[in-house]
PDB file of all heavy atoms in Angstrom:
ATOM      1  N   LEU A   1     -12.029  14.684  41.779  1.00 95.00           N
ATOM      2  CA  LEU A   1     -11.030  13.639  42.062  1.00 95.00           C
ATOM      3  C   LEU A   1     -10.101  14.196  43.184  1.00 95.00           C
ATOM      4  O   LEU A   1      -9.545  15.268  43.009  1.00 95.00           O
ATOM      5  CB  LEU A   1     -10.246  13.333  40.779  1.00 95.00           C
ATOM      6  CG  LEU A   1      -9.316  12.169  40.733  1.00 95.00           C
ATOM      7  CD1 LEU A   1     -10.053  10.866  41.060  1.00 95.00           C
ATOM      8  CD2 LEU A   1      -8.687  12.053  39.373  1.00 95.00           C
ATOM      9  N   PRO A   2      -9.970  13.480  44.305  1.00 95.00           N
ATOM     10  CA  PRO A   2      -9.132  13.994  45.382  1.00 95.00           C
ATOM     11  C   PRO A   2      -7.652  13.961  45.019  1.00 95.00           C
ATOM     12  O   PRO A   2      -7.191  13.084  44.280  1.00 95.00           O
ATOM     13  CB  PRO A   2      -9.411  13.056  46.561  1.00 95.00           C
ATOM     14  CG  PRO A   2     -10.040  11.852  45.955  1.00 95.00           C
ATOM     15  CD  PRO A   2     -10.629  12.229  44.627  1.00 95.00           C
ATOM     16  N   TYR A   3      -6.910  14.892  45.527  1.00 96.00           N
ATOM     17  CA  TYR A   3      -5.462  14.977  45.317  1.00 96.00           C
ATOM     18  C   TYR A   3      -4.842  15.744  46.489  1.00 96.00           C
ATOM     19  O   TYR A   3      -5.518  16.340  47.298  1.00 96.00           O
ATOM     20  CB  TYR A   3      -5.138  15.644  43.993  1.00 96.00           C
ATOM     21  CG  TYR A   3      -5.373  17.139  43.965  1.00 96.00           C
ATOM     22  CD1 TYR A   3      -4.330  18.026  44.231  1.00 96.00           C
ATOM     23  CD2 TYR A   3      -6.618  17.659  43.714  1.00 96.00           C
ATOM     24  CE1 TYR A   3      -4.545  19.397  44.218  1.00 96.00           C
ATOM     25  CE2 TYR A   3      -6.845  19.013  43.716  1.00 96.00           C
ATOM     26  CZ  TYR A   3      -5.820  19.890  43.940  1.00 96.00           C
ATOM     27  OH  TYR A   3      -6.025  21.227  43.956  1.00 96.00           O
ATOM     28  N   HIS A   4      -3.535  15.740  46.574  1.00 95.00           N
ATOM     29  CA  HIS A   4      -2.821  16.576  47.491  1.00 95.00           C
ATOM     30  C   HIS A   4      -1.555  17.103  46.775  1.00 95.00           C
ATOM     31  O   HIS A   4      -1.161  16.581  45.700  1.00 95.00           O
ATOM     32  CB  HIS A   4      -2.479  15.865  48.781  1.00 95.00           C
ATOM     33  CG  HIS A   4      -1.385  14.836  48.637  1.00 95.00           C
ATOM     34  ND1 HIS A   4      -1.637  13.581  48.156  1.00 95.00           N
ATOM     35  CD2 HIS A   4      -0.056  14.893  48.875  1.00 95.00           C
ATOM     36  CE1 HIS A   4      -0.498  12.877  48.149  1.00 95.00           C
ATOM     37  NE2 HIS A   4       0.491  13.673  48.519  1.00 95.00           N
ATOM     38  N   ARG A   5      -0.992  18.155  47.343  1.00 94.00           N
ATOM     39  CA  ARG A   5       0.173  18.754  46.741  1.00 94.00           C
ATOM     40  C   ARG A   5       1.451  18.320  47.478  1.00 94.00           C
ATOM     41  O   ARG A   5       1.477  18.200  48.692  1.00 94.00           O
ATOM     42  CB  ARG A   5       0.099  20.269  46.760  1.00 94.00           C
ATOM     43  CG  ARG A   5      -0.903  20.777  45.765  1.00 94.00           C
ATOM     44  CD  ARG A   5      -0.730  22.286  45.619  1.00 94.00           C
ATOM     45  NE  ARG A   5      -1.634  22.836  44.647  1.00 94.00           N
ATOM     46  CZ  ARG A   5      -1.357  22.977  43.359  1.00 94.00           C
ATOM     47  NH1 ARG A   5      -0.190  22.628  42.889  1.00 94.00           N
ATOM     48  NH2 ARG A   5      -2.240  23.485  42.514  1.00 94.00           N
ATOM     49  N   THR A   6       2.458  18.018  46.690  1.00 90.00           N
ATOM     50  CA  THR A   6       3.806  17.761  47.189  1.00 90.00           C
ATOM     51  C   THR A   6       4.660  18.834  46.583  1.00 90.00           C
ATOM     52  O   THR A   6       4.963  18.738  45.371  1.00 90.00           O
ATOM     53  CB  THR A   6       4.315  16.343  46.849  1.00 90.00           C
ATOM     54  OG1 THR A   6       3.363  15.396  47.312  1.00 90.00           O
ATOM     55  CG2 THR A   6       5.707  16.089  47.413  1.00 90.00           C
ATOM     56  N   GLY A   7       4.962  19.893  47.333  1.00 91.00           N
ATOM     57  CA  GLY A   7       5.618  21.042  46.742  1.00 91.00           C
ATOM     58  C   GLY A   7       4.650  21.714  45.794  1.00 91.00           C
ATOM     59  O   GLY A   7       3.544  22.018  46.175  1.00 91.00           O
ATOM     60  N   ASN A   8       5.042  21.885  44.540  1.00 92.00           N
ATOM     61  CA  ASN A   8       4.163  22.520  43.561  1.00 92.00           C
ATOM     62  C   ASN A   8       3.507  21.467  42.638  1.00 92.00           C
ATOM     63  O   ASN A   8       2.936  21.806  41.639  1.00 92.00           O
ATOM     64  CB  ASN A   8       4.906  23.568  42.740  1.00 92.00           C
ATOM     65  CG  ASN A   8       6.045  22.958  41.915  1.00 92.00           C
ATOM     66  OD1 ASN A   8       6.347  21.781  42.067  1.00 92.00           O
ATOM     67  ND2 ASN A   8       6.589  23.751  41.016  1.00 92.00           N
ATOM     68  N   ARG A   9       3.639  20.205  43.005  1.00 94.00           N
ATOM     69  CA  ARG A   9       3.080  19.119  42.135  1.00 94.00           C
ATOM     70  C   ARG A   9       1.864  18.501  42.804  1.00 94.00           C
ATOM     71  O   ARG A   9       1.771  18.364  44.027  1.00 94.00           O
ATOM     72  CB  ARG A   9       4.137  18.052  41.943  1.00 94.00           C
ATOM     73  CG  ARG A   9       5.411  18.570  41.299  1.00 94.00           C
ATOM     74  CD  ARG A   9       6.149  17.479  40.582  1.00 94.00           C
ATOM     75  NE  ARG A   9       7.376  17.998  40.029  1.00 94.00           N
ATOM     76  CZ  ARG A   9       7.478  18.419  38.795  1.00 94.00           C
ATOM     77  NH1 ARG A   9       6.466  18.413  37.994  1.00 94.00           N
ATOM     78  NH2 ARG A   9       8.646  18.837  38.346  1.00 94.00           N
ATOM     79  N   ARG A  10       0.909  18.136  41.956  1.00 96.00           N
ATOM     80  CA  ARG A  10      -0.306  17.492  42.455  1.00 96.00           C
ATOM     81  C   ARG A  10      -0.068  15.960  42.389  1.00 96.00           C
ATOM     82  O   ARG A  10       0.451  15.448  41.386  1.00 96.00           O
ATOM     83  CB  ARG A  10      -1.512  17.793  41.565  1.00 96.00           C
ATOM     84  CG  ARG A  10      -1.800  19.288  41.523  1.00 96.00           C
ATOM     85  CD  ARG A  10      -2.893  19.520  40.533  1.00 96.00           C
ATOM     86  NE  ARG A  10      -2.831  20.899  40.028  1.00 96.00           N
ATOM     87  CZ  ARG A  10      -3.889  21.685  40.011  1.00 96.00           C
ATOM     88  NH1 ARG A  10      -5.064  21.265  40.416  1.00 96.00           N
ATOM     89  NH2 ARG A  10      -3.788  22.901  39.562  1.00 96.00           N
ATOM     90  N   LYS A  11      -0.472  15.280  43.415  1.00 96.00           N
ATOM     91  CA  LYS A  11      -0.328  13.820  43.488  1.00 96.00           C
ATOM     92  C   LYS A  11      -1.745  13.213  43.744  1.00 96.00           C
ATOM     93  O   LYS A  11      -2.475  13.727  44.555  1.00 96.00           O
ATOM     94  CB  LYS A  11       0.608  13.381  44.608  1.00 96.00           C
ATOM     95  CG  LYS A  11       2.039  13.808  44.351  1.00 96.00           C
ATOM     96  CD  LYS A  11       2.657  13.026  43.230  1.00 96.00           C
ATOM     97  CE  LYS A  11       4.133  13.345  43.117  1.00 96.00           C
ATOM     98  NZ  LYS A  11       4.760  12.516  42.147  1.00 96.00           N
ATOM     99  N   ILE A  12      -2.022  12.146  43.012  1.00 96.00           N
ATOM    100  CA  ILE A  12      -3.310  11.492  43.133  1.00 96.00           C
ATOM    101  C   ILE A  12      -3.035  10.039  43.554  1.00 96.00           C
ATOM    102  O   ILE A  12      -2.169   9.400  42.941  1.00 96.00           O
ATOM    103  CB  ILE A  12      -4.087  11.491  41.805  1.00 96.00           C
ATOM    104  CG1 ILE A  12      -4.333  12.954  41.354  1.00 96.00           C
ATOM    105  CG2 ILE A  12      -5.407  10.749  41.928  1.00 96.00           C
ATOM    106  CD1 ILE A  12      -3.449  13.407  40.297  1.00 96.00           C
ATOM    107  N   ARG A  13      -3.749   9.577  44.554  1.00 95.00           N
ATOM    108  CA  ARG A  13      -3.587   8.162  44.932  1.00 95.00           C
ATOM    109  C   ARG A  13      -4.125   7.241  43.862  1.00 95.00           C
ATOM    110  O   ARG A  13      -5.180   7.508  43.240  1.00 95.00           O
ATOM    111  CB  ARG A  13      -4.314   7.883  46.256  1.00 95.00           C
ATOM    112  CG  ARG A  13      -3.676   8.568  47.441  1.00 95.00           C
ATOM    113  CD  ARG A  13      -4.296   8.238  48.762  1.00 95.00           C
ATOM    114  NE  ARG A  13      -5.709   7.857  48.701  1.00 95.00           N
ATOM    115  CZ  ARG A  13      -6.278   6.871  49.392  1.00 95.00           C
ATOM    116  NH1 ARG A  13      -5.558   6.210  50.253  1.00 95.00           N
ATOM    117  NH2 ARG A  13      -7.560   6.582  49.238  1.00 95.00           N
ATOM    118  N   TYR A  14      -3.429   6.152  43.593  1.00 92.00           N
ATOM    119  CA  TYR A  14      -3.795   5.199  42.585  1.00 92.00           C
ATOM    120  C   TYR A  14      -5.241   4.701  42.820  1.00 92.00           C
ATOM    121  O   TYR A  14      -6.043   4.600  41.912  1.00 92.00           O
ATOM    122  CB  TYR A  14      -2.806   4.058  42.551  1.00 92.00           C
ATOM    123  CG  TYR A  14      -3.140   2.941  41.616  1.00 92.00           C
ATOM    124  CD1 TYR A  14      -3.083   3.138  40.216  1.00 92.00           C
ATOM    125  CD2 TYR A  14      -3.575   1.694  42.067  1.00 92.00           C
ATOM    126  CE1 TYR A  14      -3.394   2.143  39.339  1.00 92.00           C
ATOM    127  CE2 TYR A  14      -3.893   0.706  41.155  1.00 92.00           C
ATOM    128  CZ  TYR A  14      -3.785   0.894  39.819  1.00 92.00           C
ATOM    129  OH  TYR A  14      -4.080  -0.099  38.924  1.00 92.00           O
ATOM    130  N   VAL A  15      -5.548   4.358  44.073  1.00 92.00           N
ATOM    131  CA  VAL A  15      -6.862   3.840  44.425  1.00 92.00           C
ATOM    132  C   VAL A  15      -7.957   4.865  44.077  1.00 92.00           C
ATOM    133  O   VAL A  15      -9.054   4.499  43.613  1.00 92.00           O
ATOM    134  CB  VAL A  15      -6.913   3.350  45.865  1.00 92.00           C
ATOM    135  CG1 VAL A  15      -6.835   4.494  46.849  1.00 92.00           C
ATOM    136  CG2 VAL A  15      -8.145   2.516  46.125  1.00 92.00           C
ATOM    137  N   ASP A  16      -7.710   6.156  44.276  1.00 95.00           N
ATOM    138  CA  ASP A  16      -8.674   7.213  43.938  1.00 95.00           C
ATOM    139  C   ASP A  16      -8.860   7.292  42.436  1.00 95.00           C
ATOM    140  O   ASP A  16      -9.979   7.470  41.922  1.00 95.00           O
ATOM    141  CB  ASP A  16      -8.254   8.559  44.511  1.00 95.00           C
ATOM    142  CG  ASP A  16      -8.291   8.594  46.015  1.00 95.00           C
ATOM    143  OD1 ASP A  16      -9.095   7.840  46.597  1.00 95.00           O
ATOM    144  OD2 ASP A  16      -7.537   9.403  46.618  1.00 95.00           O
ATOM    145  N   ALA A  17      -7.740   7.177  41.668  1.00 94.00           N
ATOM    146  CA  ALA A  17      -7.837   7.212  40.215  1.00 94.00           C
ATOM    147  C   ALA A  17      -8.643   6.016  39.728  1.00 94.00           C
ATOM    148  O   ALA A  17      -9.501   6.174  38.810  1.00 94.00           O
ATOM    149  CB  ALA A  17      -6.430   7.230  39.609  1.00 94.00           C
ATOM    150  N   LEU A  18      -8.413   4.819  40.302  1.00 92.00           N
ATOM    151  CA  LEU A  18      -9.201   3.654  39.885  1.00 92.00           C
ATOM    152  C   LEU A  18     -10.666   3.799  40.232  1.00 92.00           C
ATOM    153  O   LEU A  18     -11.526   3.385  39.441  1.00 92.00           O
ATOM    154  CB  LEU A  18      -8.644   2.371  40.553  1.00 92.00           C
ATOM    155  CG  LEU A  18      -7.470   1.711  39.894  1.00 92.00           C
ATOM    156  CD1 LEU A  18      -7.141   0.402  40.616  1.00 92.00           C
ATOM    157  CD2 LEU A  18      -7.692   1.426  38.433  1.00 92.00           C
ATOM    158  N   THR A  19     -10.952   4.326  41.407  1.00 94.00           N
ATOM    159  CA  THR A  19     -12.349   4.509  41.811  1.00 94.00           C
ATOM    160  C   THR A  19     -13.018   5.453  40.816  1.00 94.00           C
ATOM    161  O   THR A  19     -14.172   5.199  40.376  1.00 94.00           O
ATOM    162  CB  THR A  19     -12.403   5.095  43.273  1.00 94.00           C
ATOM    163  OG1 THR A  19     -11.796   4.184  44.138  1.00 94.00           O
ATOM    164  CG2 THR A  19     -13.812   5.390  43.676  1.00 94.00           C
ATOM    165  N   TYR A  20     -12.357   6.548  40.450  1.00 95.00           N
ATOM    166  CA  TYR A  20     -12.942   7.466  39.513  1.00 95.00           C
ATOM    167  C   TYR A  20     -13.142   6.818  38.151  1.00 95.00           C
ATOM    168  O   TYR A  20     -14.198   6.980  37.493  1.00 95.00           O
ATOM    169  CB  TYR A  20     -12.082   8.735  39.379  1.00 95.00           C
ATOM    170  CG  TYR A  20     -12.750   9.817  38.521  1.00 95.00           C
ATOM    171  CD1 TYR A  20     -13.733  10.612  39.044  1.00 95.00           C
ATOM    172  CD2 TYR A  20     -12.367   9.957  37.163  1.00 95.00           C
ATOM    173  CE1 TYR A  20     -14.348  11.535  38.248  1.00 95.00           C
ATOM    174  CE2 TYR A  20     -12.983  10.909  36.390  1.00 95.00           C
ATOM    175  CZ  TYR A  20     -13.991  11.700  36.934  1.00 95.00           C
ATOM    176  OH  TYR A  20     -14.624  12.624  36.141  1.00 95.00           O
ATOM    177  N   ARG A  21     -12.154   6.039  37.697  1.00 94.00           N
ATOM    178  CA  ARG A  21     -12.294   5.342  36.409  1.00 94.00           C
ATOM    179  C   ARG A  21     -13.455   4.381  36.436  1.00 94.00           C
ATOM    180  O   ARG A  21     -14.235   4.302  35.480  1.00 94.00           O
ATOM    181  CB  ARG A  21     -11.004   4.590  36.060  1.00 94.00           C
ATOM    182  CG  ARG A  21     -11.074   3.942  34.639  1.00 94.00           C
ATOM    183  CD  ARG A  21      -9.817   3.226  34.302  1.00 94.00           C
ATOM    184  NE  ARG A  21      -9.723   2.003  35.044  1.00 94.00           N
ATOM    185  CZ  ARG A  21      -8.802   1.095  34.885  1.00 94.00           C
ATOM    186  NH1 ARG A  21      -7.845   1.281  34.025  1.00 94.00           N
ATOM    187  NH2 ARG A  21      -8.810  -0.007  35.579  1.00 94.00           N
ATOM    188  N   ASN A  22     -13.621   3.629  37.503  1.00 94.00           N
ATOM    189  CA  ASN A  22     -14.772   2.708  37.628  1.00 94.00           C
ATOM    190  C   ASN A  22     -16.079   3.451  37.597  1.00 94.00           C
ATOM    191  O   ASN A  22     -17.072   2.980  37.014  1.00 94.00           O
ATOM    192  CB  ASN A  22     -14.629   1.841  38.885  1.00 94.00           C
ATOM    193  CG  ASN A  22     -13.494   0.852  38.774  1.00 94.00           C
ATOM    194  OD1 ASN A  22     -13.033   0.530  37.680  1.00 94.00           O
ATOM    195  ND2 ASN A  22     -13.003   0.409  39.916  1.00 94.00           N
ATOM    196  N   LYS A  23     -16.124   4.634  38.236  1.00 94.00           N
ATOM    197  CA  LYS A  23     -17.318   5.477  38.217  1.00 94.00           C
ATOM    198  C   LYS A  23     -17.678   5.872  36.764  1.00 94.00           C
ATOM    199  O   LYS A  23     -18.815   5.808  36.345  1.00 94.00           O
ATOM    200  CB  LYS A  23     -17.098   6.702  39.102  1.00 94.00           C
ATOM    201  CG  LYS A  23     -18.235   7.697  39.107  1.00 94.00           C
ATOM    202  CD  LYS A  23     -17.891   8.842  40.016  1.00 94.00           C
ATOM    203  CE  LYS A  23     -18.529  10.087  39.509  1.00 94.00           C
ATOM    204  NZ  LYS A  23     -18.102  11.299  40.186  1.00 94.00           N
ATOM    205  N   LEU A  24     -16.646   6.277  36.031  1.00 91.00           N
ATOM    206  CA  LEU A  24     -16.829   6.661  34.614  1.00 91.00           C
ATOM    207  C   LEU A  24     -17.357   5.478  33.784  1.00 91.00           C
ATOM    208  O   LEU A  24     -18.306   5.643  32.991  1.00 91.00           O
ATOM    209  CB  LEU A  24     -15.531   7.182  33.974  1.00 91.00           C
ATOM    210  CG  LEU A  24     -15.032   8.522  34.420  1.00 91.00           C
ATOM    211  CD1 LEU A  24     -13.714   8.842  33.704  1.00 91.00           C
ATOM    212  CD2 LEU A  24     -16.077   9.623  34.144  1.00 91.00           C
ATOM    213  N   VAL A  25     -16.761   4.324  34.010  1.00 92.00           N
ATOM    214  CA  VAL A  25     -17.201   3.127  33.274  1.00 92.00           C
ATOM    215  C   VAL A  25     -18.659   2.804  33.594  1.00 92.00           C
ATOM    216  O   VAL A  25     -19.464   2.513  32.677  1.00 92.00           O
ATOM    217  CB  VAL A  25     -16.314   1.915  33.592  1.00 92.00           C
ATOM    218  CG1 VAL A  25     -16.895   0.620  33.103  1.00 92.00           C
ATOM    219  CG2 VAL A  25     -14.888   2.129  32.998  1.00 92.00           C
ATOM    220  N   ASN A  26     -19.052   2.898  34.854  1.00 94.00           N
ATOM    221  CA  ASN A  26     -20.427   2.616  35.241  1.00 94.00           C
ATOM    222  C   ASN A  26     -21.377   3.645  34.637  1.00 94.00           C
ATOM    223  O   ASN A  26     -22.470   3.275  34.185  1.00 94.00           O
ATOM    224  CB  ASN A  26     -20.560   2.589  36.777  1.00 94.00           C
ATOM    225  CG  ASN A  26     -19.938   1.402  37.375  1.00 94.00           C
ATOM    226  OD1 ASN A  26     -19.765   0.347  36.745  1.00 94.00           O
ATOM    227  ND2 ASN A  26     -19.524   1.494  38.635  1.00 94.00           N
ATOM    228  N   GLN A  27     -20.972   4.936  34.598  1.00 94.00           N
ATOM    229  CA  GLN A  27     -21.806   5.965  33.982  1.00 94.00           C
ATOM    230  C   GLN A  27     -22.005   5.655  32.504  1.00 94.00           C
ATOM    231  O   GLN A  27     -23.115   5.820  31.944  1.00 94.00           O
ATOM    232  CB  GLN A  27     -21.189   7.334  34.177  1.00 94.00           C
ATOM    233  CG  GLN A  27     -21.298   7.824  35.587  1.00 94.00           C
ATOM    234  CD  GLN A  27     -20.544   9.177  35.759  1.00 94.00           C
ATOM    235  OE1 GLN A  27     -19.703   9.566  34.955  1.00 94.00           O
ATOM    236  NE2 GLN A  27     -20.851   9.851  36.855  1.00 94.00           N
ATOM    237  N   ARG A  28     -20.944   5.243  31.825  1.00 92.00           N
ATOM    238  CA  ARG A  28     -21.036   4.936  30.393  1.00 92.00           C
ATOM    239  C   ARG A  28     -21.957   3.739  30.169  1.00 92.00           C
ATOM    240  O   ARG A  28     -22.773   3.779  29.225  1.00 92.00           O
ATOM    241  CB  ARG A  28     -19.643   4.642  29.833  1.00 92.00           C
ATOM    242  CG  ARG A  28     -18.766   5.847  29.694  1.00 92.00           C
ATOM    243  CD  ARG A  28     -17.372   5.534  29.254  1.00 92.00           C
ATOM    244  NE  ARG A  28     -16.519   6.716  29.322  1.00 92.00           N
ATOM    245  CZ  ARG A  28     -15.268   6.722  29.608  1.00 92.00           C
ATOM    246  NH1 ARG A  28     -14.665   5.569  29.869  1.00 92.00           N
ATOM    247  NH2 ARG A  28     -14.589   7.829  29.629  1.00 92.00           N
ATOM    248  N   HIS A  29     -21.883   2.716  30.999  1.00 94.00           N
ATOM    249  CA  HIS A  29     -22.751   1.571  30.857  1.00 94.00           C
ATOM    250  C   HIS A  29     -24.208   1.953  31.074  1.00 94.00           C
ATOM    251  O   HIS A  29     -25.073   1.507  30.337  1.00 94.00           O
ATOM    252  CB  HIS A  29     -22.323   0.448  31.817  1.00 94.00           C
ATOM    253  CG  HIS A  29     -21.084  -0.262  31.401  1.00 94.00           C
ATOM    254  ND1 HIS A  29     -21.084  -1.622  31.148  1.00 94.00           N
ATOM    255  CD2 HIS A  29     -19.850   0.138  31.204  1.00 94.00           C
ATOM    256  CE1 HIS A  29     -19.868  -1.962  30.773  1.00 94.00           C
ATOM    257  NE2 HIS A  29     -19.096  -0.915  30.790  1.00 94.00           N
ATOM    258  N   ASP A  30     -24.440   2.786  32.101  1.00 94.00           N
ATOM    259  CA  ASP A  30     -25.826   3.239  32.386  1.00 94.00           C
ATOM    260  C   ASP A  30     -26.354   4.040  31.175  1.00 94.00           C
ATOM    261  O   ASP A  30     -27.520   3.866  30.794  1.00 94.00           O
ATOM    262  CB  ASP A  30     -25.861   4.110  33.626  1.00 94.00           C
ATOM    263  CG  ASP A  30     -25.593   3.319  34.903  1.00 94.00           C
ATOM    264  OD1 ASP A  30     -25.635   2.074  34.866  1.00 94.00           O
ATOM    265  OD2 ASP A  30     -25.283   3.946  35.931  1.00 94.00           O
ATOM    266  N   ALA A  31     -25.509   4.896  30.604  1.00 94.00           N
ATOM    267  CA  ALA A  31     -25.967   5.686  29.429  1.00 94.00           C
ATOM    268  C   ALA A  31     -26.270   4.801  28.252  1.00 94.00           C
ATOM    269  O   ALA A  31     -27.285   5.013  27.546  1.00 94.00           O
ATOM    270  CB  ALA A  31     -24.889   6.745  29.095  1.00 94.00           C
ATOM    271  N   LEU A  32     -25.445   3.781  28.045  1.00 93.00           N
ATOM    272  CA  LEU A  32     -25.693   2.854  26.922  1.00 93.00           C
ATOM    273  C   LEU A  32     -26.968   2.055  27.166  1.00 93.00           C
ATOM    274  O   LEU A  32     -27.753   1.824  26.227  1.00 93.00           O
ATOM    275  CB  LEU A  32     -24.520   1.885  26.741  1.00 93.00           C
ATOM    276  CG  LEU A  32     -23.250   2.547  26.098  1.00 93.00           C
ATOM    277  CD1 LEU A  32     -22.078   1.561  26.166  1.00 93.00           C
ATOM    278  CD2 LEU A  32     -23.543   2.949  24.667  1.00 93.00           C
ATOM    279  N   ASP A  33     -27.200   1.656  28.428  1.00 91.00           N
ATOM    280  CA  ASP A  33     -28.444   0.911  28.711  1.00 91.00           C
ATOM    281  C   ASP A  33     -29.652   1.779  28.481  1.00 91.00           C
ATOM    282  O   ASP A  33     -30.678   1.338  27.892  1.00 91.00           O
ATOM    283  CB  ASP A  33     -28.476   0.452  30.168  1.00 91.00           C
ATOM    284  CG  ASP A  33     -27.469  -0.666  30.425  1.00 91.00           C
ATOM    285  OD1 ASP A  33     -27.008  -1.313  29.440  1.00 91.00           O
ATOM    286  OD2 ASP A  33     -27.171  -0.938  31.608  1.00 91.00           O
ATOM    287  N   GLU A  34     -29.564   3.060  28.825  1.00 92.00           N
ATOM    288  CA  GLU A  34     -30.648   4.010  28.657  1.00 92.00           C
ATOM    289  C   GLU A  34     -30.903   4.223  27.160  1.00 92.00           C
ATOM    290  O   GLU A  34     -32.035   4.268  26.715  1.00 92.00           O
ATOM    291  CB  GLU A  34     -30.270   5.333  29.325  1.00 92.00           C
ATOM    292  CG  GLU A  34     -31.426   6.296  29.394  1.00 92.00           C
ATOM    293  CD  GLU A  34     -31.035   7.541  30.175  1.00 92.00           C
ATOM    294  OE1 GLU A  34     -30.367   7.419  31.221  1.00 92.00           O
ATOM    295  OE2 GLU A  34     -31.411   8.650  29.741  1.00 92.00           O
ATOM    296  N   LEU A  35     -29.824   4.364  26.373  1.00 90.00           N
ATOM    297  CA  LEU A  35     -29.990   4.523  24.902  1.00 90.00           C
ATOM    298  C   LEU A  35     -30.592   3.268  24.295  1.00 90.00           C
ATOM    299  O   LEU A  35     -31.441   3.385  23.390  1.00 90.00           O
ATOM    300  CB  LEU A  35     -28.631   4.794  24.271  1.00 90.00           C
ATOM    301  CG  LEU A  35     -28.086   6.225  24.413  1.00 90.00           C
ATOM    302  CD1 LEU A  35     -26.666   6.309  23.874  1.00 90.00           C
ATOM    303  CD2 LEU A  35     -28.973   7.221  23.719  1.00 90.00           C
ATOM    304  N   GLY A  36     -30.160   2.125  24.756  1.00 87.00           N
ATOM    305  CA  GLY A  36     -30.767   0.875  24.218  1.00 87.00           C
ATOM    306  C   GLY A  36     -32.231   0.772  24.548  1.00 87.00           C
ATOM    307  O   GLY A  36     -33.026   0.372  23.689  1.00 87.00           O
ATOM    308  N   ALA A  37     -32.624   1.136  25.762  1.00 87.00           N
ATOM    309  CA  ALA A  37     -34.065   1.129  26.115  1.00 87.00           C
ATOM    310  C   ALA A  37     -34.846   2.114  25.302  1.00 87.00           C
ATOM    311  O   ALA A  37     -35.965   1.837  24.844  1.00 87.00           O
ATOM    312  CB  ALA A  37     -34.184   1.412  27.593  1.00 87.00           C
ATOM    313  N   LEU A  38     -34.256   3.321  25.032  1.00 87.00           N
ATOM    314  CA  LEU A  38     -34.915   4.323  24.220  1.00 87.00           C
ATOM    315  C   LEU A  38     -35.061   3.824  22.786  1.00 87.00           C
ATOM    316  O   LEU A  38     -36.142   4.010  22.172  1.00 87.00           O
ATOM    317  CB  LEU A  38     -34.109   5.629  24.264  1.00 87.00           C
ATOM    318  CG  LEU A  38     -34.736   6.849  23.588  1.00 87.00           C
ATOM    319  CD1 LEU A  38     -36.119   7.185  24.232  1.00 87.00           C
ATOM    320  CD2 LEU A  38     -33.808   8.041  23.708  1.00 87.00           C
ATOM    321  N   ASP A  39     -34.052   3.205  22.262  1.00 85.00           N
ATOM    322  CA  ASP A  39     -34.150   2.622  20.907  1.00 85.00           C
ATOM    323  C   ASP A  39     -35.286   1.606  20.822  1.00 85.00           C
ATOM    324  O   ASP A  39     -36.056   1.599  19.844  1.00 85.00           O
ATOM    325  CB  ASP A  39     -32.836   1.928  20.503  1.00 85.00           C
ATOM    326  CG  ASP A  39     -31.792   2.849  20.047  1.00 85.00           C
ATOM    327  OD1 ASP A  39     -32.099   4.072  19.856  1.00 85.00           O
ATOM    328  OD2 ASP A  39     -30.632   2.421  19.864  1.00 85.00           O
ATOM    329  N   GLN A  40     -35.387   0.767  21.822  1.00 84.00           N
ATOM    330  CA  GLN A  40     -36.470  -0.251  21.817  1.00 84.00           C
ATOM    331  C   GLN A  40     -37.822   0.408  21.923  1.00 84.00           C
ATOM    332  O   GLN A  40     -38.792   0.034  21.241  1.00 84.00           O
ATOM    333  CB  GLN A  40     -36.283  -1.219  23.009  1.00 84.00           C
ATOM    334  CG  GLN A  40     -35.107  -2.120  22.872  1.00 84.00           C
ATOM    335  CD  GLN A  40     -35.157  -3.043  21.648  1.00 84.00           C
ATOM    336  OE1 GLN A  40     -36.214  -3.548  21.319  1.00 84.00           O
ATOM    337  NE2 GLN A  40     -34.047  -3.218  20.998  1.00 84.00           N
ATOM    338  N   GLU A  41     -37.926   1.413  22.774  1.00 84.00           N
ATOM    339  CA  GLU A  41     -39.171   2.140  22.931  1.00 84.00           C
ATOM    340  C   GLU A  41     -39.639   2.827  21.668  1.00 84.00           C
ATOM    341  O   GLU A  41     -40.817   2.860  21.337  1.00 84.00           O
ATOM    342  CB  GLU A  41     -38.997   3.198  24.070  1.00 84.00           C
ATOM    343  CG  GLU A  41     -40.250   3.950  24.432  1.00 84.00           C
ATOM    344  CD  GLU A  41     -39.984   4.928  25.537  1.00 84.00           C
ATOM    345  OE1 GLU A  41     -39.396   4.553  26.565  1.00 84.00           O
ATOM    346  OE2 GLU A  41     -40.326   6.139  25.338  1.00 84.00           O
TER     347      GLU A  41
END
């Protein structure tokens, strides 16, 4: 996750945090689809 420092603090852009969250959600959905297919198989 990209960030930059302001003094000794890390700052993350909101859009980068949302992009990462959406990536996590998509990974979870893919994993659930895979588990569902495995269950059916």
